[in-house]
């Protein structure tokens, strides 16, 4: 692939804005997604995750900014849009159709549709083919969306809260099938989720949205090593954390857990041990929760953009 | 496969719903007409005498039976099928053209079914009891081509009207949909008032051109409604 082709491939977003009336959901967002990776899109409710995916897929119109998918504007661009699959978490279906009749028509939309995979997923999730989508349980609706998304083999697959309502067994099936299919047929997968730690092993890169802006975009391992937790007696932890970038604190009786931004040095470890403070790795969930509730410093935001 | 054909296939994926039900509706209209004739027959005897048969020739059941269902088909297609087609990677333009082709298929099959029912009705001389449901004035008094034309344009108009409501809802929300419905009602009443005011000219026009003039007027309405639906569809969002 030439340098120009590499430059043109993937999703490039610049200064993307989206407002609904006076409510600004996305405010001048810049984002670059390389092809062939799994991205986790996380953030609190109302952060703009679904709006961002909808805007990329031209399901809704941007208020400003540019979106390029493989170097082209996706708006009313059949060549680009037919390579996308985005089943919304609250996807409306025509209730005159059954689950089976919808699956039957999908190969016409996706040249790469994998019928064998669709049938295997339907069997594993025990989806009732004769039932109307509106009569499916919350978990079955999520499973139906997963069947369509994975079997479509769309080069750009968007998953909107795919875990919603799924029981642990069904979630395990989803992990297995996603990783197996992605391994065999690499493509770009963008998945919004709240189950961050559970999905962390699936993601290659995590993107954190907060109030319409990207506050973190990093490889998952890199993000996990960007902070640590110091746990111990409150006074000891406060003394240890003084002068450091504390992004969250949790108290339980006299025990304080402080999430601290930065790397732990050998000197830090010695100092902590002397104060009977335990230094622990931060979970992705805790890190993101900390970013969500903490007033971010401009340095942090800039650092991770 | 051409992108528009995908949305056509989506529209036709439940043929019983988009093709079967309109045909069954016409058949049920015949059943109801025959049932009414049978009840009348208790008093006037069967087969119906000429005067009663003449009364049946003013039956407009074939015109009123279809629009309600077809408007709902059009509205659901423009609303729910639209959301599905977008999710499956369609453009708005290809969704609209594919669905419009689907509307044409529904209208053609329904009109063909009406012609078949008219032929059966003629063959059985009003379902054996002189009770016509299709060989009526509003459908061209037994003319196959006029019956086909009337049912075709009526079906197409109903589907596109439904699609207009569905698309306006997707593009602008519930308030705009209500305003559109009220505006269309006002326009319709205005056209009726215009017709009554200019009744002499209208009657003369109808006398010259007959039922084809009605077909032509409905076709013009279809073009206007389809153009409005297409324009709204370009602005519709998920």
């Amino acid at each position: 692939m030439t340098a120009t082709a590499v430059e043109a491939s993937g999703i490039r977003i610049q200064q993307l804005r989206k407002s609904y009336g006076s409510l600004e959901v996305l405010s001048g967002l810049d984002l670059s997604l390389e092809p062939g990776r799994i991205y986790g899109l996380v953030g609190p409710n109302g952060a703009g995750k679904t709006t961002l995916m909808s805007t990329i897929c031209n399901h809704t119109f941007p208020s400003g900014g540019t979106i390029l998918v493989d170097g082209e504007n996706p708006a009313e661009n059949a060549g680009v849009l037919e390579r996308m699959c985005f089943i919304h978490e609250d996807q409306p279906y025509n209730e005159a159709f059954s689950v089976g009749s919808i699956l039957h028509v999908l190969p016409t939309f996706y040249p790469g549709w994998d019928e064998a995979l669709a049938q295997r997923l339907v069997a594993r999730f025990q989806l009732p083919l004769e039932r109307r989508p509106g009569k499916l349980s919350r978990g079955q609706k999520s499973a139906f969306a997963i069947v369509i998304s994975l079997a479509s083999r769309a080069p750009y697959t968007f998953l909107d809260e795919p875990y919603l309502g799924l029981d642990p067994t069904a979630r395990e099936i989803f992990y297995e099938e996603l990783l197996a299919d992605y391994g065999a047929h690499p493509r770009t997968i963008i998945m919004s989720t709240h189950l961050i730690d559970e999905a962390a092993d699936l993601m290659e890169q995590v993107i954190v949205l907060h109030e319409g802006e990207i506050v973190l975009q990093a490889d998952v391992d890199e993000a996990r090593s960007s902070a640590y937790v110091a746990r111990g007696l409150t006074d000891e932890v406060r003394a240890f954390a003084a002068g450091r970038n504390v992004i969250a604190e949790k108290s339980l009786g006299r025990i304080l857990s402080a999430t601290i931004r930065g790397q732990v040095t050998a000197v830090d470890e010695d100092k902590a041990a002397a104060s009977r403070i335990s230094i622990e790795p931060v979970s992705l969930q805790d890190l993101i929760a900390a970013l969500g509730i903490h007033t971010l410093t401009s340095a942090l935001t800039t650092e991770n953009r | 496969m051409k992108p528009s054909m995908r949305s056509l296939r989506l529209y036709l994926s439940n043929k019983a719903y988009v093709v079967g039900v309109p045909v069954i509706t016409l058949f049920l209209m015949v059943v109801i007409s025959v049932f009414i004739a049978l009840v009348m027959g208790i008093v006037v005897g069967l087969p119906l005498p000429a005067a009663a048969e003449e009364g049946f020739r003013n039956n407009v059941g074939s015109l009123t039976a279809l629009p309600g269902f077809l408007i709902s088909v059009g509205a659901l297609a423009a609303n729910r099928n639209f959301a599905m087609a977008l999710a499956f990677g369609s453009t708005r333009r290809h969704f609209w053209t594919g669905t419009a082709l689907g509307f044409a298929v529904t209208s053609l099959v329904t009109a063909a079914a009406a012609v078949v029912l008219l032929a059966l009705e003629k063959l059985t001389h009003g379902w054996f009891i002189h009770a016509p449901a299709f060989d009526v004035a509003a459908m061209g008094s037994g003319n196959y081509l006029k019956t086909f034309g009337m049912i075709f344009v009526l079906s197409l108009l109903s589907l596109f009207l439904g699609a207009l409501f569905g698309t306006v809802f997707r593009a602008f929300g519930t308030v705009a949909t209500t305003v559109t419905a009220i505006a269309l009602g006002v326009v319709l009443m205005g056209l009726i008032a215009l017709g009554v005011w200019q009744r002499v000219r209208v009657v003369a026009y109808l006398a010259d051109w007959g039922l084809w003039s009605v077909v032509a007027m409905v076709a013009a309405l279809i073009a206007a409604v389809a153009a409005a639906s297409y324009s709204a569809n370009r602005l519709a969002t998920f």
Side-chain angles (χ1 to χ4, degrees), chain B residues 84-99:
Chain B
M84 291 165 72
L86 243 56
F88 305 156
S90 175
T91 64
R92 287 164 180 77
R93 182 177 70 256
H94 291 126
F95 163 75
W96 194 91
T97 48
T99 304

Side-chain angles (χ1 to χ4, degrees), chain A residues 218-230:
Chain A
D219 285 345
V220 169
D221 292 338
E222 185 190 316
R224 277 172 172 155
S225 62
S226 68
Y228 59 93
V229 175

Side-chain angles (χ1 to χ4, degrees), chain A residues 4 7 11 27 30 33 48 60 64 76 122 131 151 212 214 244 258 283 293 296:
Chain A
T4 313
E7 187 81 1
I11 299 172
S27 38
D30 292 328
L33 304 177
T60 190
E76 287 296 276
V122 164
R131 200 171 292 175
I214 290 172
R244 298 173 199 267
S283 73
I293 58 174
L296 293 158

Side-chain angles (χ1 to χ4, degrees), chain A residues 59 76 82 93-94 96, chain B residues 6 14 80-81 86 92 238:
Chain A
H59 292 187
E76 287 296 276
E82 67 189 6
Y93 296 97
N94 190 332
Chain B
R6 295 171 185 159
N14 186 345
R80 296 303 181 98
N81 287 17
L86 243 56
R92 287 164 180 77
F238 193 88

